[in-house]
Amino acid sequence: MNANTDLLVPHPGDFIREELEARGWSQRDLAFVLGKEESGINAVIGGRRGISPEMAKLLGDAFDVNPELFMNLQRAYDLSRAPNADPGVARRAKFQNRYPVRDMVNRGWIAGTDPESLEMQLALYFRVGDASQIPHLRHSAKKTHYEDSSPAQVAWLFRARQIAETMHPSQPYSEPKLRDALPRLHALMTAPEEVRHVPRILDECGVRFIVIEALPGSKIAGVCFWPNKASPVIALSVQRDQIDSFWFDLRHEIQHVLERHGQTHECIDSELGVTEANVSAEEAIANREAEEFCVPRDELSDFMARVNPYFGEQRISLFAQRLQIHPGIVVGQLQKRLDRWDLLKKLQPKVRQYLILTAVTDGWGTIYPVEL
C-alpha cells in the first residue's frame, strides 16, 4: 500500500536550507565547512539523499546542535513515506500472543497465515462460533475451566479431541477389563520395546490411546477425558522420553479413567508425581496408584533403608529383577524420593521410538489426518 500522504513530513534538506539562509551561507559554503563534495551536499538538500549518522554528526557540529535532531528528522521523513503496515500483522500478533499459532501451523493443525483464514481456522479448531469465544484469546471472554491450563496445553488438548473422534475402539469400554489388564501391562515393564503392546491392550479395554508431541513450552504430560460417558481417551506427550516416566504417566492416566475422572472436564496433567500437598484429590489418587504400580512404596522404602546411600547399578538391577521391572523404573522412583535427578540416568532408556510403531501418533514428523 502507499504511504499515508496526510502524514508526510518534509525532507531534512528543507531544514538545512533554512539554516543556510539564516546564516547567509551557500551550499558551497556548507560543503567547505563539512569538508565534503558539493554534489553530495546538494543531493541531501535537494531531498535525493538521506542523512547518515556520520552526516548527522557533521551537521550537528556545523550548526552547533545535537546530531539527534537530524537523525530524528530523517526518521520522521522515512516513516512518513513507508508503506502502511499490512493490517494482518496486528491480527496475527494477537493470535500469536495467546497461542503458539506458528507452531500449530507448522504441525499441520491449522493452515494458512492470512488473517481472515487464520481466524476462521482457529474458531473451527477450538469449536467456537467466532474468535472471541476461543479460550484465553481475549480477557473479556467468558471464563472456562481451561483458565488453569496454559494456551499451549489447551491447544494440545483440542488436538487430542480431534484425533480421538476419528478412532473407534474394537470393544466398548469396560472397567473390569481395564482393571484385569493392569497385570498384563505390568508384565511389559521389563524392557523398553515392550511398550509397543500398550495401544492394543488399551484398545481391547475400550480405551482410545493417542501419543501427541507436545508444543514447545507446553510442559504437558498427558490428559484423560471422555468424549462421551462410555468412551474414555488417554493422550500422552511422552515429553520425558524415559521408561520410568512413560509407565508412571500411563498408569496415572489409567487411574483417572478407572475413577471416571475427566467426565465433567478434562484432566490435563502438566507435572505428574509432584508432592501430594500441592495437587488436587484426584491427582493425589492417580499419583499414588502410579507410584505403587511402578515400584510398591513399601518395597522401595525397604530397599532404600538397606542400601542408602550406596545406590549402585548392580544393587538396583538386582532389586528390579526381583520386582520383574526394568531398572530404569526403579531409578525414576529413587530420583523422585531422593530429589537426585542425575542418579544413574544411564539406566533410563527411551521408549517413544517403540511406542509410535503401534500407537496413533501425531508429531515427530507425522501429521495425523483430521479435518476441522
Side-chain angles (χ1 to χ4, degrees), residues 90-353:
R91 295 176 68 181
R92 284 193 294 270
K94 178 189 72 172
F95 298 138
Q96 186 65 38
N97 280 338
R98 295 288 177 164
Y99 281 94
V101 174
R102 182 184 62 82
D103 292 316
M104 294 169 70
V105 171
N106 289 341
R107 292 282 296 274
W109 296 2
I110 54 178
T113 57
D114 172 76
E116 296 292 340
S117 173
L118 192 58
E119 186 164 333
M120 180 184 69
Q121 289 266 318
L122 286 170
L124 288 171
Y125 184 90
F126 289 103
R127 303 179 181 188
V128 294
D130 59 74
S132 66
Q133 298 174 307
I134 295 174
H136 287 291
L137 193 59
R138 295 183 181 173
H139 291 294
S140 60
K142 181 180 178 180
K143 296 293 184 182
T144 70
H145 60 273
Y146 299 124
E147 298 303 315
D148 293 331
S149 302
S150 72
Q153 291 172 345
V154 175
W156 187 91
L157 164 66
F158 272 80
R159 183 61 173 177
R161 288 177 56 176
Q162 291 171 358
I163 295 174
E165 289 180 353
T166 70
M167 300 171 63
H168 304 284
S170 60
Q171 303 290 330
Y173 170 65
S174 168
E175 180 180 328
K177 283 186 178 181
L178 184 56
R179 291 190 183 278
D180 290 344
L182 292 176
R184 295 169 59 198
L185 291 169
H186 195 278
L188 304 177
M189 296 169 64
T190 56
E193 60 269 21
E194 293 301 290
V195 300
R196 69 188 188 278
H197 301 297
V198 168
R200 173 179 52 81
I201 293 174
L202 292 179
D203 176 72
E204 292 170 355
C205 302
V207 177
R208 286 175 276 185
F209 178 68
I210 311 168
V211 180
I212 306 175
E213 181 183 1
L215 291 167
S218 62
K219 295 181 180 179
I220 191 164
V223 65
C224 165
F225 61 96
W226 300 67
N228 55 64
K229 297 297 183 181
S231 183
V233 177
I234 291 175
L236 296 182
S237 70
V238 199
Q239 196 164 25
R240 291 183 61 202
D241 185 11
Q242 299 172 178
I243 190 170
D244 55 297
S245 295
F246 168 76
W247 283 110
F248 185 94
D249 294 353
L250 176 66
R251 184 62 181 86
H252 180 103
E253 301 305 334
I254 287 176
Q255 192 62 33
H256 279 319
V257 173
L258 292 172
E259 300 286 341
R260 292 191 174 268
H261 297 159
Q263 288 194 335
T264 57
H265 60 269
E266 304 87 347
C267 292
I268 303 176
D269 294 312
S270 56
E271 292 184 80
L272 298 183
V274 297
T275 305
E276 291 189 6
N278 298 327
V279 299
S280 67
E282 290 184 353
E283 295 304 318
I285 292 171
N287 279 342
R288 185 169 60 251
E289 293 299 327
E291 289 176 356
E292 193 70 18
F293 184 76
C294 290
V295 182
R297 285 188 172 190
D298 291 344
E299 293 274 11
L300 185 62
S301 297
D302 179 66
F303 174 73
M304 293 175 64
R306 286 187 290 106
V307 305
N308 190 34
Y310 305 107
F311 297 105
E313 182 175 342
Q314 183 177 11
R315 288 180 173 178
I316 289 176
S317 296
L318 290 173
F319 178 55
Q321 184 177 358
R322 183 169 66 80
L323 296 179
Q324 296 184 310
I325 59 176
H326 191 277
I329 299 173
V330 175
V331 169
Q333 292 302 299
L334 283 174
Q335 289 173 342
K336 176 189 171 186
R337 284 277 196 103
L338 300 169
D339 195 24
R340 287 182 52 190
W341 302 102
D342 60 333
L343 178 68
L344 292 171
K345 290 183 66 67
K346 65 180 181 179
L347 295 182
Q348 296 171 295
K350 300 181 183 300
V351 299
R352 188 177 64 224
Q353 59 184 319

